[in-house]
Each structure stands twice: as C-alpha cells, then as structure tokens.
C-alpha cells in the first residue's frame, strides 16, 4: 500500500487542495493497484512544533511515502517515480514558496494485512478482483 504522510504548516493547503493532491497521488497507482490501497494523510504542524535546523519554521513541507504493495528496485524507475512526485507536489509547495523534502520507505510485502487478509500477490486473479471491487476480500493465499 502506498501511504503518503504530508507534514505541513497550518493553513498551507485548503480542503480542496488536499482532495486534489490525494486524487493526483491515487492516479499514480490506480492502473496497477486497488485505489483503496492509497492512503494520504495531511498533518498540519504549528510553527511552535516544526523545527528545521533547530529553528522554528512555517515554510517547510515534509513528505514521507511508504510503499508495501510494490517496491521500486530499478534506478531509472526510482528517478521516474520521484520526478512524478515532484510534478504532483510542485504546484502546491514549491510554487507557493515552501521548501520541501520527500523520501520513500519500502516495507516488506510479507509484513502487511488489510482487514486481517494477507493481500494477494501482484497481478493474480485475487488482486485483480480487489482492484475491480475496490475492497479487500477473502482469497486463496496458496
């Protein structure tokens, strides 16, 4: 599952901005993952709780992306993914004068469940069903 956590100054994004960003992030994955796999969390951080280099700030956005459903091992694909992330975020952060940083963690697929189910392996009939139905369901895990 891709989980994006976006730590940002208070009032950096409107509710409409947040929905647009979440929809754009989801669109990156929807051709090969169930849409419900994509989680986006916005964390507004007050200036008194946001420090960069030991100094309070209100002009920085930190994005943490966690991948579980898929890993990106090819360096060219990694760069392509990072470039895509920048295209999504730039109009909302850099273009508005915010400094920003992003990193991606990858968690082992084997250490993941959804509603208590082990997710189906990539491109299996069960995963295709999860993607089509946009919800988890029981499947043969063999």
């Amino acid at each position: 599952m891709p989980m994006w956590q976006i730590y940002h100054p208070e009032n950096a994004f409107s509710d409409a901005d947040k929905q647009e960003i979440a929809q754009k992030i989801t669109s990156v994955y929807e051709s090969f993952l169930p849409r419900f796999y994509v989680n986006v969390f916005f964390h507004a951080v007050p200036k008194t709780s946001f420090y960069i280099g030991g100094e309070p700030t209100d002009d920085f956005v930190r994005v943490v992306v966690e991948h579980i459903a898929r890993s990106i091992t090819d360096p060219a694909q990694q760069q392509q993914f990072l470039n895509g992330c920048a295209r999504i975020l730039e109009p909302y952060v850099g273009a508005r004068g915010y400094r920003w940083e992003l990193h991606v963690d990858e968690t082992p697929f084997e250490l993941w469940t959804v509603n208590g189910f082990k997710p189906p392996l990539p491109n299996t009939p069960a995963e295709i069903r999860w993607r089509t139905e946009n919800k988890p369901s029981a499947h043969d895990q063999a």
Side-chain angles (χ1 to χ4, degrees):
M1 136 180 338
M3 179 172 62
W4 287 54
Q5 301 212 48
I6 302 172
Y7 299 88
H8 59 86
E10 294 177 303
N11 303 313
F13 307 118
S14 68
D15 290 344
D17 290 339
K18 292 175 189 178
Q19 183 155 14
E20 288 173 14
I21 293 166
Q23 288 172 343
K24 289 176 181 182
I25 291 168
T26 300
S27 73
V28 169
Y29 301 97
E30 69 185 351
S31 69
F32 60 95
L33 293 177
R35 289 176 60 82
F36 73 88
Y37 276 12
V38 184
N39 296 195
V40 181
F41 299 93
F42 292 88
H43 304 282
V45 183
K47 185 174 183 175
T48 58
S49 295
F50 212 147
Y51 291 79
I52 302 296
E55 299 298 324
T57 190
D58 61 358
D59 72 342
F60 189 79
V61 175
R62 181 72 166 97
V63 181
V64 178
V65 180
E66 295 183 41
H67 281 169
I68 302 173
R70 301 290 191 278
S71 295
I72 306 171
T73 57
D74 176 69
Q77 289 179 341
Q78 291 169 346
Q79 190 58 54
Q80 181 180 1
F81 178 77
L82 293 173
N83 292 344
C85 294
R87 280 191 301 276
I88 290 170
L89 296 169
E90 178 59 28
Y92 302 95
V93 291
R96 295 181 180 179
Y98 293 108
R99 298 175 295 148
W100 62 287
E101 185 175 339
L102 174 142
H103 87 274
V104 179
D105 287 330
E106 294 186 337
T107 300
F109 185 89
E110 297 77 17
L111 295 175
W112 175 40
T113 64
V114 179
N115 288 0
F117 298 116
K118 291 289 293 174
L121 293 173
N123 303 313
T124 61
E127 188 191 55
I128 292 167
R129 186 177 74 246
W130 280 33
R131 191 167 53 233
T132 302
E133 295 175 354
N134 198 32
K135 66 179 183 178
S137 58
H139 62 94
D140 181 13
Q141 297 182 19

